[in-house]
Amino acid sequence: MELLIEIMYVAIYSALGIVLMVLGNFLIDLVVPCHFPTEIKKGNQAVGWISAGSFIGIGIILRTAIMSPASQAIKESLLSGILNSVLYFVLGILFFSLGYVVVYFLNRRYNLNEEIGSGNNAAGIMVFGIFVGLALVISGVIC
């Protein structure tokens, strides 16, 4: 019976992760001023890097929220585990967006939005790094 409960938890958290990753990518698309699906269809690799960074970053944050020692010490309910995961997802998206905006406004040597829109891989990789770096910081705080 315990195996079935564990399988159910895996299914629930996996579905939650998929939904939150897609939602997170959509929200990041609102911050970065180009339409991700259109740009990806055009082969814009910079946007591909940003999308990958948001998916990886969200995954890191959710994994840490789910596996947090604090939550395991308090044998939390499924509902509280889901709510904690959603809370950290929201914080992650807020800080991803803040990180992007800060870099955009502090760097005056080039226009980050234009560089991403024109498919500059270096700009996409930089934002990828920002997202993954922020996810690692957030996950470190969660532990």
Side-chain angles (χ1 to χ4, degrees):
M1 185 63 143
E2 191 164 316
L3 177 61
L4 289 176
I5 292 171
E6 291 295 323
I7 292 171
M8 180 188 71
Y9 274 41
V10 168
I12 290 169
Y13 278 109
S14 295
L16 177 67
I18 292 167
V19 168
L20 292 179
M21 285 182 178
V22 170
L23 177 62
N25 203 33
F26 172 78
L27 294 172
I28 294 299
D29 189 6
L30 297 176
V31 175
V32 178
C34 60
H35 188 247
F36 283 12
T38 302
E39 292 298 318
I40 289 174
K41 284 181 186 177
K42 291 188 328 190
N44 185 332
Q45 292 182 3
V47 171
W49 278 104
I50 293 169
S51 291
S54 73
F55 283 121
I56 291 169
I58 292 165
I60 290 169
I61 292 168
L62 291 176
R63 178 186 183 274
T64 307
I66 293 165
M67 295 182 64
S68 174
S71 68
Q72 290 182 8
I74 306 171
K75 194 66 177 167
E76 65 182 23
S77 71
L78 177 61
L79 180 59
S80 67
I82 290 171
L83 291 175
N84 284 336
S85 297
V86 170
L87 170 68
Y88 287 116
F89 160 80
V90 169
L91 287 173
I93 293 301
L94 286 174
F95 282 108
F96 286 5
S97 300
L98 180 63
Y100 180 84
V101 170
V102 166
V103 169
Y104 174 79
F105 282 115
L106 290 181
N107 192 350
R108 290 285 143 214
R109 295 183 182 188
Y110 56 85
N111 185 317
L112 185 59
N113 294 341
E114 289 177 7
E115 295 300 321
I116 291 167
S118 68
N120 182 336
N121 282 339
I125 292 169
M126 182 182 78
V127 175
F128 171 95
I130 290 168
F131 290 168
V132 172
L134 286 169
L136 291 171
V137 170
I138 293 166
S139 69
V141 174
I142 295 171
C143 286

